Amino acid sequence: MFKTNLPKNIEEILYQEPITNLNILGFFEKHTPLQIKEYGNSTMISGQSDELWWYLHCNSQEDFDKFTDELSTGNHFFSIIPDWILTRLKSQFQIHWVLTCNKFYLPNEVELPNIDIKIERLIPEDSYSIFEHSNYKAFTSREYIEEQIVCRSGAAFRDAKKLAGWALFHDDGAMGMLHVVDDYRRKGVARTLMVELCKIQRSQNRIPYTSVEPTNIASSNLVKSLGFVNTGTVHWVKFSK
């Protein structure tokens, strides 16, 4: 277990289901909660990263409806929500975009393979190349990438001084942005980068986890081959009230 910036009573509740709440705990390890709203047995917490994100610990439609009733008019961003909350949002509000992924985590008993490929740490200047190659420019920015490198580092494969592959951590501690330049694919680089991030997480007493789009078969197969377990579908949403 690691400490977060959340009140102790809320942190203790979230740690009762650590796999379900990995993203909330990871985000508020590095970010300060700006608003905390409690309804029944549900807790909604906001924090500022690239946007003002709401993280929801909620299993009650009644609690959720009370929360959304009190939201201000305008745009809002919800992170890592389950299917039923997305369905509820679609029935009530204007949806601008949805990013859907399968969430995976690596159980503690799974052993990581030994890898011989040399891996280095990412540096802030790498954010320019990473953003240039990103397929998610609508959801991210170069500044966000640089901030994550400064905050949590990441793994880099270099050919001489050329950055040819990378993987890093998102603002909630999830592993992501895995990419290998075309000429270096099918050589075990992607696998090595993921193993390195897993080792970093485990060395800090954290559970490695990641989110993969359902259409990204290569990345899904990669994490499954390393022993990751699929916990189900989650969504990031921008909507207007």
Side-chain angles (χ1 to χ4, degrees):
M1 291 173 54
F2 54 85
K3 291 293 183 181
T4 72
N5 294 309
L6 295 167
K8 185 177 180 180
N9 65 312
I10 293 177
E11 185 180 278
E12 289 176 347
I13 290 171
L14 295 175
Y15 266 120
Q16 291 175 11
E17 298 179 279
I19 302 304
T20 300
N21 298 311
L22 281 169
N23 301 75
I24 307 178
L25 293 162
F27 185 88
F28 290 104
E29 178 194 9
K30 301 292 186 180
H31 298 81
T32 301
L34 299 180
Q35 294 185 72
I36 298 176
K37 296 182 178 291
E38 297 183 80
Y39 308 84
N41 294 319
S42 301
T43 304
M44 324 312 194
I45 314 166
S46 70
Q48 183 71 48
S49 178
D50 54 335
E51 303 288 354
L52 182 66
W53 289 98
W54 281 100
Y55 283 81
L56 314 183
H57 176 66
C58 179
N59 294 307
S60 164
Q61 182 172 302
E62 181 181 359
D63 293 346
F64 179 74
D65 288 345
K66 289 179 181 178
F67 168 58
T68 55
D69 284 345
E70 294 182 4
L71 284 176
S72 61
T73 301
N75 294 331
H76 298 279
F77 297 84
F78 281 7
S79 182
I80 207 81
I81 60 173
D83 293 338
W84 75 266
I85 290 183
L86 177 61
T87 300
R88 194 71 178 158
L89 287 175
K90 287 181 174 179
S91 70
Q92 295 178 305
F93 305 110
Q94 178 186 356
I95 305 296
H96 294 282
W97 53 253
V98 178
L99 177 61
T100 297
C101 292
N102 289 317
K103 179 178 172 180
F104 294 85
Y105 82 99
L106 187 66
N108 291 330
E109 63 270 17
V110 175
E111 294 186 12
L112 292 167
N114 294 318
I115 304 291
D116 295 329
I117 298 174
K118 182 181 178 182
I119 297 297
E120 302 176 7
R121 290 288 178 265
L122 288 168
I123 59 176
E125 290 77 7
D126 290 329
S127 63
Y128 291 90
S129 181
I130 293 172
F131 183 70
E132 179 184 347
H133 287 85
S134 175
N135 294 322
Y136 299 94
K137 291 185 174 70
F139 304 103
T140 191
S141 67
R142 188 204 63 78
E143 291 78 12
Y144 170 85
I145 294 169
E146 180 178 358
E147 181 181 352
Q148 305 323 307
I149 293 172
V150 171
C151 184
R152 301 180 190 263
S153 185
F157 170 72
R158 304 182 195 276
D159 183 3
K161 294 184 178 181
K162 177 184 176 181
L163 181 64
W166 54 84
L168 58 153
F169 298 101
H170 285 287
D171 56 7
D172 59 1
M175 303 182 299
M177 298 194 201
L178 175 66
H179 185 87
V180 179
V181 176
D182 288 348
D183 290 345
Y184 299 88
R185 293 182 177 176
R186 301 186 182 280
K187 298 180 179 180
V189 174
R191 186 178 182 84
T192 301
L193 291 166
M194 289 299 290
V195 168
E196 182 65 21
L197 290 194
C198 290
K199 289 180 177 179
I200 292 173
Q201 290 292 71
R202 283 184 166 179
S203 72
Q204 299 171 353
N205 197 30
R206 293 167 174 80
I207 299 172
Y209 62 103
T210 187
S211 299
V212 182
E213 287 189 272
T215 55
N216 191 342
I217 304 302
S219 290
S220 295
N221 288 340
L222 171 59
V223 296
K224 289 176 183 177
S225 73
L226 290 171
F228 279 73
V229 176
N230 187 348
T231 67
T233 305
V234 292
H235 314 273
W236 288 257
V237 184
K238 178 184 178 181
F239 69 95
S240 293
K241 181 177 178 181

